[in-house]
Amino acid sequence: MTEHPAPLSVRPDLYDGETTAPARPALRVVHEPDGIDLAAAEAAAGRFLEALGISTASESLRGTPGRMARAYAELFSPRPFDLTTFPNDEGYDELVLARRIPVRTVCEHHLLPVVGTAHVGYLPGARILGLSKLARVVEHFACRPQVQERLTKQVADWLQAHLEPKGVGVVIEAEHSCMTLRGVQATGSDTLTSTLLGLLRSDARSRAEFLALTGVTR
């Protein structure tokens, strides 16, 4: 799979709090795909179904290739967002954790759905993050063909690079349709992956607290 790193452009008109000095501008996060050709995707979907012996001549299936093309275009198109951060004026140094963030992506091997939840936390440094942005970052990296291991690490590495916290932790629990609907047909199984950086990796107590709060250790 070709990786498409998210280009970041600075919006100098956005400030995040103080009036006495310019605040750090928000980063505009935009995914720029190579280009989506819905007409070509629809034609290819029609040929794909016909190659599998599924006729699209009936009224109920006539629009299916177009619906397939639009559905996958939506799955592969994350919404742009502003990564807004704020000064950590109170010196807050405890864990910030957003639990049960919905995850939906498709596996890059079969293009079948992967659905689950992410738990994303960090130990603040000089700045804190708007909480909704944790979910936005997960969505940003999930909107492309993925493997769960890579997705988990991409979210953690990106937050570490752009937020500069003392530690980052990401845990993803997901069900893979390629395991439950085909092949081994392991109905009810899920997969758990984690990435821990900084103090959440090196400090045993911080690591244990994060894993306990995510419910990984029960």
Side-chain angles (χ1 to χ4, degrees):
M1 183 189 78
T2 302
E3 292 290 330
H4 298 287
L8 303 178
S9 58
V10 175
R11 289 262 306 268
D13 57 311
L14 293 175
Y15 296 92
D16 47 11
E18 316 220 26
T19 57
T20 55
R24 178 183 294 183
L27 295 175
R28 186 66 172 169
V29 183
V30 182
H31 175 66
E32 295 183 351
D34 293 335
I36 294 176
D37 187 336
L38 283 175
E42 180 177 349
R47 292 193 299 271
F48 172 74
L49 291 172
E50 290 173 5
L52 292 176
I54 301 172
S55 172
T56 58
S58 69
E59 182 179 350
S60 60
L61 285 169
R62 193 172 300 131
T64 297
R67 288 188 289 267
M68 286 176 60
R70 291 189 296 274
Y72 276 99
E74 181 180 340
L75 285 171
F76 298 154
S77 300
R79 295 169 291 180
F81 67 96
D82 295 318
L83 187 74
T84 46
T85 65
F86 307 91
N88 186 9
D89 292 330
E90 301 302 320
Y92 184 83
D93 60 0
E94 298 294 332
L95 182 66
V96 178
L97 175 63
R99 298 191 298 178
R100 294 184 290 277
I101 297 170
V103 174
R104 63 114 173 92
T105 186
V106 297
C107 78
E108 66 180 34
H109 303 127
H110 302 93
L111 290 190
L112 289 173
V114 177
V115 179
T117 57
H119 314 289
V120 183
Y122 71 99
L123 291 170
R127 303 186 71 80
I128 57 176
L129 180 67
L131 288 177
S132 67
K133 308 310 177 185
L134 295 173
R136 293 287 197 179
V137 173
V138 172
E139 177 191 288
H140 179 77
F141 285 106
C143 284
R144 64 197 69 180
Q146 272 286 16
V147 295
Q148 187 173 326
E149 297 89 340
R150 182 195 303 124
L151 173 60
T152 308
K153 193 169 189 307
Q154 283 178 330
V155 173
D157 287 346
W158 200 89
L159 288 171
Q160 183 70 31
H162 294 287
L163 186 58
E164 299 179 357
K166 295 177 182 177
V168 172
V170 178
V171 171
I172 295 179
E173 303 173 80
E175 180 177 306
H176 293 243
S177 298
C178 57
M179 282 184 62
T180 60
L181 299 181
R182 57 158 300 281
V184 69
Q185 297 184 18
T187 304
S189 68
D190 60 11
T191 300
L192 189 147
T193 51
S194 65
T195 296
L196 303 177
L197 303 174
L199 286 178
L200 290 182
R201 183 181 183 91
S202 62
D203 181 75
R205 288 194 299 176
S206 297
R207 179 189 180 99
E209 178 189 14
F210 172 77
L211 294 176
L213 289 175
T214 61
V216 174
T217 56
R218 294 183 175 89

